[in-house]
Amino acid sequence: MKSYDSNGAPPEAYGGLELLQEDTGGRASSDERVLITLRRHIMDGSIPSGEKITEVGLAGLLEVSRTPVRLALRALEVEGLIKKRSGRGYTVVDFDFDDTSNAYQVRGVLEGLAARCLAENGMSEEVDGILRRSLEMTRDALDHLRDKKDSGMDLYQEANTLFHETIMRECGNSFVPFTYTRLETVPLLKLGVLVFNHDSYDTEVQRLTIGYGQHLIVYDAIAKGDAARAEAMMREHSHATITYSMLFSR
C-alpha cells in the first residue's frame, strides 16, 4: 500500500495529485486552497481510503510549506475525512457516500428550521450586520473568482461559513445547533465547507454564484419575517454541496 509520506517517491506515484502552483509566478497558493485541493482528492479517490498521509510528505508533493498542510490536515480531521494514526501521520477515512448524503438531508432540515426560527424571532441589528457583511464578502469573492484570483476561494469560504454559522447560532432555538453538533463528525457536514473542482472552474463559479443567490433569498426572507420561504430556500441550499456538485458535473 502506498503512503503519502516522506519516502522520496516521485509525484507520479501518487495518483496524479496536482501541484499547488498558480499560473503566474509559480507562487504557492493560499492555506484555503491547500485544504480545498486535499479535500477534493480524498473525495474523488486520488487519495483513497486507508492511505497513510503525512504533513511532510504532502508538503513536498504539493510543493508548499508545511504550515498550510498542517492546518489543512487539522481541518480535514474535524470534517471527519481523515483520522490520526497511532504513530505519525493520518489515515484517510473510509466513508459511505450514501450515509453522507442522508446526513445532508438531516442537516438541511436543521438549517431550514434555523432560518425559520430566525425569521419568526427577528434579527438583531448585530446579526443583520453580520449577514449583510457575509453577502458583501461573497459578492467580492465571486468577482475575484471570475478574474481567476485564487483569493476568491478563501473569501468565499469565510463568507459561507459566517453566513451559515450565524443563522444556526442566532436562530433563537438552542436545540437546533445542539442537535446539529451530533452531525459534525460525518464527513463534509461542517457548516460552510467548500468543495471546488478546479478542473471545471467556470462551471464551479456558476454553481457558487447560484449559492450566493440562494443566500440573498434566505436573507431577504428572514429580514421580511417570511418563515416558510426562509425555511424552504435554506433546505434547498443546504443540499447544494452534494446535489448541485453532482448535477453540474454531468
Side-chain angles (χ1 to χ4, degrees), residues 50-189:
E51 289 298 315
K52 175 187 176 183
I53 55 178
T54 66
E55 179 184 314
V56 174
L58 289 174
L61 182 65
L62 301 176
E63 296 187 358
V64 297
S65 70
R66 292 174 60 179
T67 298
V69 173
R70 184 183 307 119
L71 294 173
L73 290 175
R74 289 175 182 171
L76 292 171
E77 184 180 17
V78 170
E79 292 173 13
L81 289 174
I82 62 175
K83 62 182 179 180
K84 270 277 193 181
R85 294 172 60 89
S86 56
R88 185 186 66 174
Y90 296 82
T91 299
V92 176
V93 172
D94 183 12
F95 67 93
D96 189 306
F97 184 84
D98 289 336
D99 285 345
T100 300
S101 181
N102 289 337
Y104 259 98
Q105 292 182 36
V106 177
R107 195 188 86 170
V109 172
L110 292 174
E111 286 209 274
L113 179 56
R116 166 179 279 277
C117 290
L118 186 56
E120 291 175 340
N121 296 326
M123 293 185 291
S124 67
E125 289 187 8
E126 180 182 5
V127 171
D128 183 62
I130 293 173
L131 293 180
R132 284 178 177 272
R133 186 169 83 251
S134 75
L135 294 172
E136 292 173 359
M137 291 166 61
T138 307
R139 185 178 63 247
D140 291 343
L142 287 170
D143 288 340
H144 291 185
L145 287 169
R146 294 185 189 105
D147 291 337
K148 301 295 193 296
K149 294 180 180 177
D150 192 55
S151 57
M153 287 190 297
D154 300 2
L155 190 57
Y156 197 104
Q157 175 77 72
E158 182 182 355
N160 199 41
T161 301
L162 182 63
F163 186 85
H164 285 268
E165 288 188 347
T166 299
I167 292 175
M168 180 71 73
R169 184 181 63 249
E170 303 294 341
C171 70
N173 183 336
S174 61
F175 285 98
V176 177
F178 172 79
T179 304
Y180 165 72
T181 60
R182 300 300 190 266
L183 293 174
E184 284 189 304
T185 58
V186 178
L188 302 177
L189 261 287

